[in-house]
């Protein structure tokens, strides 16, 4: 049964792709707008049919007139539902990032020359978001991330039940955008310097034989307090002999698979965030690739993308 549903879904997706190929920006036309009766609309049509049969059976002109009026209202609702979506232009942000199992807020821009009514925009039906009449600001549509990687944006559904709720007018948009999902950070008590046995280690004992003027950000543990008491206007700190900067740390990803690999990647992600927060250089060894030690937002994103693709 599941295989049948999967095959039907694949056929349906293929049919949608043939009608609307991937594009960065989509303008809704008649070809990609789909209109079906809502549940209320089906009851409305059933009532219309019963009234018509009742009027023809008893040759009652008033009942027939009422059924014709209801048909006119139905056709008017159909035309207004199509007009409410036709001509909308939809696009979204080009680069998106999130961590696994987080809700990614996708900025969706909807452009229209005329005000539209009762629009809903969502990736999952449970996370539907109603759009206000002011469409000048991008709409933040939630998307729940499950697995890590570089993933294509799923189909964006734009729908409306305007004007009377008789029809469900929608469009299934295939936007040509991707987003990054990094491993979920998992707190670990393992010391950073113990991740890689081949990584450098900061010396535990150093000879502080020189001094220099205090600068913002220096550790207060190196402050010469006795000298500061004598000369409060000239604070100085101790400086280690040679290079005072700590050696960079290396984060190595072993050749694992399955749940063990996911746990290692989550811990590595957490350690990278901690090192970046402390502005401490770090490098990454993953598969046959080595990323030289560094720090900064660009270096962090590069390492996180390697973890996402591992």
């Amino acid at each position: 049964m599941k295989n049948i549903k999967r095959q039907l879904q694949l056929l349906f997706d293929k049919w949608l792709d043939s009608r609307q190929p991937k594009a960065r920006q989509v303008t809704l036309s008649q070809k990609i707008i789909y209109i079906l009766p809502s549940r209320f609309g089906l009851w409305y049509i059933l009532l219309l049919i019963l009234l018509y049969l009742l009027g023809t059976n008893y040759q009652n002109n008033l009942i027939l007139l009422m059924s014709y009026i209801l048909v006119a209202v139905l056709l008017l609702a159909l035309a207004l539902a199509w007009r409410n979506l036709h001509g909308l232009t939809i696009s979204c942000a080009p680069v998106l990032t999130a961590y696994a199992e987080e809700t990614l807020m996708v900025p969706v821009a909807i452009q229209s020359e005329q005000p539209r009514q009762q629009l809903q925009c969502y990736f999952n039906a449970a996370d539907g978001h109603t759009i206000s009449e002011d469409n000048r600001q991008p709409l933040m549509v939630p998307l729940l991330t499950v697995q890590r990687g570089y993933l294509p944006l799923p189909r964006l559904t734009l729908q409306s039940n305007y004007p009377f709720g008789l029809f469900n007018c929608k469009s299934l948009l295939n936007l040509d955008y991707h987003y990054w999902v990094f491993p979920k950070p998992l707190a670990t008590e393992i010391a950073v310097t113990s991740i890689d046995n081949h990584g450098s280690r900061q010396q535990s004992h150093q000879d502080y034989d020189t001094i220099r003027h205090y600068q913002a950000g220096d550790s207060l543990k190196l402050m010469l307090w006795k000298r500061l008491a004598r000369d409060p206007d000239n604070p100085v700190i101790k400086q280690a002999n040679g290079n005072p900067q700590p050696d960079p740390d290396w984060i190595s990803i072993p050749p694992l698979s399955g749940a063990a690999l996911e746990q290692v990647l989550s811990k590595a992600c957490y350690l990278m965030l901690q090192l970046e927060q402390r502005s401490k250089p770090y490098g990454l060894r993953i598969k046959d690739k080595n990323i030289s030690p560094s720090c900064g937002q660009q270096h962090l994103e590069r390492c996180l993308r390697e973890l996402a693709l591992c």
Side-chain angles (χ1 to χ4, degrees):
M1 191 65 182
K2 292 183 179 180
N3 292 332
I4 296 177
K5 290 183 178 180
R6 189 180 299 109
Q7 292 295 329
L8 292 177
Q9 184 64 39
L10 291 176
L11 291 175
F12 181 65
D13 292 339
K14 186 177 180 180
W15 179 75
L16 290 176
D17 292 337
S18 64
R19 298 183 65 86
Q20 189 255 303
K22 284 188 176 183
R24 287 298 182 95
Q25 182 173 299
V26 179
T27 300
L28 300 188
S29 61
Q30 183 176 354
K31 187 176 181 180
I32 58 176
I33 296 177
Y34 311 100
I35 305 177
L36 291 174
S38 63
R39 180 178 298 181
F40 174 65
L42 291 175
W43 285 107
Y44 182 93
I45 294 173
L46 178 61
L47 175 63
L48 190 155
I49 295 174
L50 292 177
L51 286 177
Y52 179 77
L53 293 177
L54 185 64
T56 54
N57 187 40
Y58 291 98
Q59 298 182 356
N60 191 316
N61 292 332
L62 290 178
I63 298 178
L64 289 175
L65 178 62
M66 176 61 67
S67 63
Y68 295 151
I69 293 175
L70 292 179
V71 170
V73 171
L74 184 69
L75 296 178
L76 177 63
L78 179 64
L80 292 177
W82 173 83
R83 184 176 179 274
N84 193 43
L85 260 63
H86 185 265
L88 288 175
T89 301
I90 295 92
S91 61
C92 70
V95 179
L96 302 168
T97 60
Y99 294 97
E101 301 181 8
E102 283 187 351
T103 299
L104 175 65
M105 304 305 295
V106 181
V108 177
I110 300 178
Q111 301 175 2
S112 173
E113 297 180 355
Q114 300 177 354
R116 306 304 173 106
Q117 306 293 329
Q118 301 179 13
L119 298 180
Q120 288 185 331
C121 189
Y122 57 86
F123 291 103
N124 300 311
D127 300 327
H129 193 101
T130 303
I131 304 173
S132 61
E133 296 182 8
D134 185 9
N135 300 327
R136 291 173 294 181
Q137 298 297 329
L139 178 70
M140 306 305 291
V141 182
L143 172 62
L144 180 61
T145 60
V146 179
Q147 61 179 358
R148 59 178 174 83
Y150 185 57
L151 307 174
L153 202 64
R155 290 189 179 275
L156 177 69
T157 301
L158 183 67
Q159 74 170 22
S160 173
N161 292 323
Y162 177 83
F164 306 124
L166 296 176
F167 292 97
N168 185 1
C169 183
K170 67 173 56 179
S171 182
L172 305 175
L173 305 177
N174 192 6
L175 298 176
D176 189 14
Y177 291 99
H178 288 72
Y179 62 100
W180 286 94
V181 180
F182 305 140
K184 179 181 178 181
L186 179 61
T188 175
E189 298 178 355
I190 301 176
V192 176
T193 55
S194 66
I195 298 177
D196 184 10
N197 294 330
H198 301 286
S200 301
R201 299 290 184 268
Q202 184 180 2
Q203 296 177 357
S204 59
H205 301 286
Q206 293 180 340
D207 296 329
Y208 298 96
D209 54 0
T210 60
I211 62 174
R212 63 175 175 85
H213 291 285
Y214 173 80
Q215 297 179 358
D218 290 334
S219 175
L220 296 179
K221 296 180 180 180
L222 304 178
M223 181 72 71
L224 294 176
W225 297 104
K226 293 182 179 180
R227 182 161 179 171
L228 180 63
R230 296 194 304 266
D231 188 5
D233 297 331
N234 188 23
V236 295
I237 64 172
K238 297 178 288 185
Q239 180 172 308
N241 185 22
N243 184 13
Q245 297 296 330
D247 293 332
D249 291 285
W250 284 92
I251 299 177
S252 295
I253 306 300
L256 301 173
S257 61
L261 176 61
E262 298 300 328
Q263 187 175 17
V264 170
L265 293 177
S266 297
K267 291 182 179 180
C269 178
Y270 173 81
L271 292 171
M272 286 181 184
L273 296 176
Q274 295 299 313
L275 290 171
E276 186 64 37
Q277 187 176 6
R278 297 187 328 218
S279 299
K280 187 177 181 182
Y282 57 92
L284 176 64
R285 291 192 178 104
I286 182 169
K287 294 183 179 179
D288 297 331
K289 183 180 296 185
N290 289 344
I291 299 179
S292 302
S294 182
C295 59
Q297 187 62 32
Q298 292 184 351
H299 178 70
L300 175 62
E301 289 190 3
R302 181 186 177 189
C303 294
L304 290 177
R305 290 182 179 186
E306 291 296 334
L307 295 182
L309 297 177
C310 181

